[in-house]
Amino acid sequence: MAEFLYKATNSQGNNFEGSIEAKDKAEAEALLMRRRLIIVSLKKKPTEIKIKIGSGIKPAEIARFTRMFSSMSSAGLPMLQCLNILENQCENPELKNVVHKITQSINGGSSLADALAQHPKVFSNLYTNMVAAGEAGGILDGILARLAETLENQERLKRKVKKALTYPVMLIIVGILVVIALMTFVVPTFAEQFKALDAELPAPTQAVMGISDFIRDNGAFLFIGAIVLIVGFKVTMRVPQAKFAWDGLMLKMPKLGDLQIKSTTASFSRTLGTLLNAGVSIMDSLKVVASTVTNKVVEKGINKIAIGIAGGKSIADPMQETGLFPPMVIQMTGVGEKTGNLGGMLLKLADFYDEEVDAAVDAVVGMMEPLIIVFLGGAVGGLLIAMYMPMFSMGEAVKG
């Protein structure tokens, strides 16, 4: 998406100027004409060299923005006044700039949904679709409240999953650093003493000293190799087939796979239920849900559900065919569809699986923590024993 600077007037002779994001100049002209603006000038914004990862706006900030927007809108404040207040209160300059652009777009005749859609890196398909449904149905206040709740729950769910991985990963990193420090600084000291004795060393001691020499002599290459492996993995994950295979493997991992299934079920149920309750059609809702998931296997499963529904099936049958959802989810979804309360039933499922994610997180941590401690303890203990073995041998020789 490119950014274009424009100056325009409307039929009343009012002047407007600002910026608009579009694929090309023709699309920018079409967007401005749709706002019933007469274009005076339109040119592409000069390229600025910026090194920035993502949008520079955290999801938690969007959730807070939405909650405040909902509260002020429910209190009866006009939309533009709400946005002006939010812009002034923004601490993040990136978000402040986005809110300013949204305000300019609305001043130029754009709807809120269209203005949000111009910033896809900040506002997701779920966000813009729900706002569009709220504007069309005259229930924007309620939609913003639901969106805020949904975003807050998504953030809570992400924190739970990160919690399952952060502590074990930190243990592994600290353990590896300790082993490297021992191999680099402690073992060489012992090795010099053993060489001075000119005695035959036990095989474990020789092996540890050999590994220590290898690390010291090739430390730079090992470090570069580790970076190459990480970068290579990230590049490989951009290949659709590789990403699909990796995501499928992660779903089959003991405990971790169960955690992913439960967190995916909670996210799927909450997002789909929220969209359906907002009045979005089930086909459009499934399309939005599929675009929000990061697991390619799950994304394929959701698209399969959409194809099944388009072919005349109920939602429960294609859900079962994917093999991704627990039986209880399939049965309750089927009941919700038959009773005409699919959105409400999905939200109940989301609440239930939020609690299940807590249990799955505890199970993952409970499984990984002792395994990591045993592995690291065995590595460090084995290293120390190997280095003390020659001393034991010398002690026995002296006694003899």
Side-chain angles (χ1 to χ4, degrees):
M1 297 287 282
E3 190 171 357
F4 294 85
L5 302 176
Y6 70 87
K7 292 182 180 179
T9 62
N10 61 11
S11 56
Q12 287 78 36
N14 297 319
N15 296 320
F16 299 95
E17 62 178 276
S19 62
I20 186 170
E21 291 187 358
K23 292 180 181 178
D24 50 38
K25 189 173 182 179
E27 185 181 11
E29 289 175 351
L31 289 171
L32 291 171
M33 289 175 66
R34 194 164 68 179
R35 300 179 192 174
R36 298 177 181 177
L37 293 177
I38 302 167
I39 300 171
V40 176
S41 68
L42 179 66
K43 60 182 180 180
K44 190 173 182 179
K45 186 177 181 180
T47 304
E48 296 178 3
I49 300 175
K50 287 184 179 180
I51 300 175
K52 185 175 69 173
I53 299 173
S55 65
I57 302 170
K58 298 178 181 178
E61 291 176 314
I62 300 299
R64 194 179 308 115
F65 164 85
T66 308
R67 176 63 69 188
M68 293 171 66
F69 195 178
S70 168
S71 299
M72 288 188 288
S73 183
S74 298
L77 272 67
M79 184 188 298
L80 287 174
Q81 187 177 351
C82 293
L83 290 170
N84 286 327
I85 294 171
L86 289 167
E87 181 184 345
N88 292 329
Q89 289 190 345
C90 284
E91 297 179 359
N92 185 333
E94 296 290 342
L95 181 57
K96 190 184 189 74
N97 183 45
V98 169
V99 176
H100 180 71
K101 289 180 179 179
I102 292 170
T103 305
Q104 283 186 321
S105 297
I106 295 173
N107 272 325
S110 174
S111 67
L112 177 60
D114 287 340
L116 295 171
Q118 293 178 28
H119 308 279
K121 291 183 179 180
V122 180
F123 299 99
S124 64
N125 287 338
L126 167 66
Y127 203 108
T128 53
N129 274 272
M130 285 190 65
V131 169
E135 286 184 300
I139 52 171
L140 184 59
D141 298 350
I143 290 296
L144 288 171
R146 289 181 189 174
L147 258 175
E149 184 180 351
T150 299
L151 293 172
E152 288 162 357
N153 283 321
Q154 286 177 346
E155 273 304 294
R156 200 175 298 119
L157 187 61
K158 287 179 184 177
R159 286 197 297 269
K160 290 175 185 176
V161 175
K162 285 181 181 179
K163 177 185 173 185
L165 301 176
T166 301
Y167 181 61
V169 167
M170 289 303 298
L171 275 179
I172 292 173
I173 292 173
V174 170
I176 290 173
L177 290 176
V178 168
V179 171
I180 290 174
L182 289 173
M183 286 289 190
T184 306
F185 303 107
V186 178
V187 172
T189 304
F190 279 93
E192 290 177 4
Q193 295 176 358
F194 294 153
K195 287 177 181 177
L197 295 174
D198 195 24
E200 185 177 352
L201 300 175
T205 306
Q206 293 181 27
V208 170
M209 290 172 61
I211 295 171
S212 174
D213 290 339
F214 179 78
I215 291 175
R216 294 182 71 196
D217 295 340
N218 302 280
F221 294 105
L222 291 172
F223 180 73
I224 294 171
I227 293 175
V228 169
L229 282 174
I230 294 170
V231 173
F233 176 78
K234 289 183 175 294
V235 171
T236 303
M237 287 300 101
R238 293 180 182 177
V239 179
Q241 294 84 351
K243 181 71 167 64
F244 186 87
W246 175 258
D247 287 343
L249 178 64
M250 291 301 295
L251 289 174
K252 295 176 182 177
M253 291 286 287
K255 301 296 183 182
L256 280 174
D258 181 58
L259 173 59
Q260 279 217 348
I261 289 292
K262 288 177 177 177
S263 62
T264 297
T265 300
S267 178
F268 168 85
S269 301
R270 188 170 301 284
T271 305
L272 183 57
T274 302
L275 285 166
L276 291 174
N277 282 348
V280 182
S281 70
I282 189 166
M283 295 301 295
D284 289 340
S285 297
L286 287 170
K287 183 179 178 181
V288 172
V289 174
S291 69
T292 60
V293 299
T294 56
N295 189 297
K296 293 297 179 182
V297 176
V298 177
E299 181 182 347
K300 183 180 178 181
I302 295 171
N303 288 328
K304 189 175 181 180
I305 294 171
I307 293 170
I309 293 173
K313 294 182 179 180
S314 66
I315 189 172
D317 292 336
M319 280 182 71
Q320 188 168 10
E321 290 171 7
T322 63
L324 295 171
F325 299 94
M328 186 190 78
V329 175
I330 297 169
Q331 292 175 9
M332 289 186 69
T333 301
V335 171
E337 187 178 29
K338 289 177 182 177
T339 58
N341 187 32
L342 181 57
M345 186 65 77
L346 285 167
L347 291 177
K348 289 180 181 179
L349 280 168
D351 291 337
F352 174 79
Y353 273 94
D354 279 344
E355 296 179 4
E356 287 292 294
V357 168
D358 282 334
V361 167
D362 293 339
V364 168
V365 174
M367 176 193 73
M368 294 182 71
E369 187 176 328
L371 289 176
I372 293 170
I373 290 174
V374 168
F375 173 76
L376 294 178
V380 175
L383 188 153
L384 294 175
I385 291 172
M387 298 314 298
Y388 277 103
M389 283 179 70
M391 297 181 182
F392 298 149
S393 300
M394 286 187 288
E396 290 176 0
V398 170
K399 289 181 181 179

